[in-house]
Amino acid sequence: MECIKKEEETRKEYEQYVEQVTPRQNLPLHMTRAFFVGGLICLLGQFILNYCAHRGISQKDAAAWCSLILIVLSALLTGLNLYQRLVTFGGAGALVPITGFANSVAAPAIEYKKEGQVFGVGAKIFTIAGPVILYGIFTSWILGILYCLLGMAGIRWG
């Protein structure tokens, strides 16, 4: 009986300790920051698209240039250790767009380059982005089969 009381007391002390050391999250602030950072990235992308259209580039080519420029900027900022600051400030607003994906590929490549091209960069470059690629391909495969089966059943959309 005494052992159970002591165990309960220890559990309560631990819960108080966890409550004390757990950082508090300000959800509205984080959401606002993510909204503005993501919005600024999208604004930059729209600026690039508008500039390309102004220069007479087709919409398809402008979209390719926009993606390319955003990826290169993200990789460059990752290499200069500035993108991580943007992620720390903006959270998901910096991680969700294509720039976040480029960052997730560039960061391990930079981190592990000292281990060599094969066992460093080659082996570690997709440690973060790999699962995204894997599940993206797997999901598109499943959806393709579903679309095909629904098509054979006579159900069409789009």
Side-chain angles (χ1 to χ4, degrees):
M1 189 70 171
E2 187 177 305
C3 182
I4 294 173
K5 283 184 177 181
K6 184 158 179 102
E7 188 176 299
E8 182 69 23
E9 188 177 300
T10 303
R11 186 183 61 78
K12 286 182 181 180
E13 286 176 10
Y14 179 72
E15 286 175 1
Q16 288 174 346
Y17 170 74
V18 168
E19 181 72 26
Q20 188 178 18
V21 298
T22 302
R24 302 282 184 252
Q25 299 292 330
N26 185 345
L27 188 59
L29 177 64
H30 290 298
M31 290 171 61
T32 302
R33 286 180 175 177
F35 177 79
F36 281 111
V37 169
L40 286 173
I41 292 170
C42 292
L43 182 68
L44 176 61
Q46 190 62 51
F47 174 79
I48 295 167
L49 286 173
N50 290 350
Y51 179 77
C52 289
H54 176 72
R55 303 289 290 171
I57 299 173
S58 72
Q59 188 171 351
K60 183 179 176 183
D61 289 342
W65 276 106
C66 178
S67 296
L68 179 70
I69 291 169
L70 289 175
I71 289 169
V72 168
L73 282 175
S74 175
L76 181 65
L77 291 176
T78 299
L80 296 172
N81 203 24
L82 296 175
Y83 202 85
Q84 185 57 40
R85 292 181 188 177
L86 186 65
V87 169
T88 301
F89 178 79
L95 289 176
V96 173
I98 193 169
T99 54
F101 187 75
N103 171 261
S104 71
V105 173
I110 293 167
E111 182 177 349
Y112 291 104
K113 78 175 187 179
K114 63 183 170 281
E115 295 180 24
Q117 292 298 314
V118 175
F119 293 113
V121 176
K124 304 288 186 176
I125 194 165
F126 290 112
T127 55
I128 298 171
V132 175
I133 295 169
L134 170 70
Y135 289 112
I137 291 171
F138 180 71
T139 302
S140 66
W141 183 74
I142 294 293
L143 290 174
I145 290 175
L146 183 64
Y147 184 75
C148 181
L149 292 174
L150 290 174
M152 288 192 293
I155 301 171
R156 302 231 184 252
W157 64 80

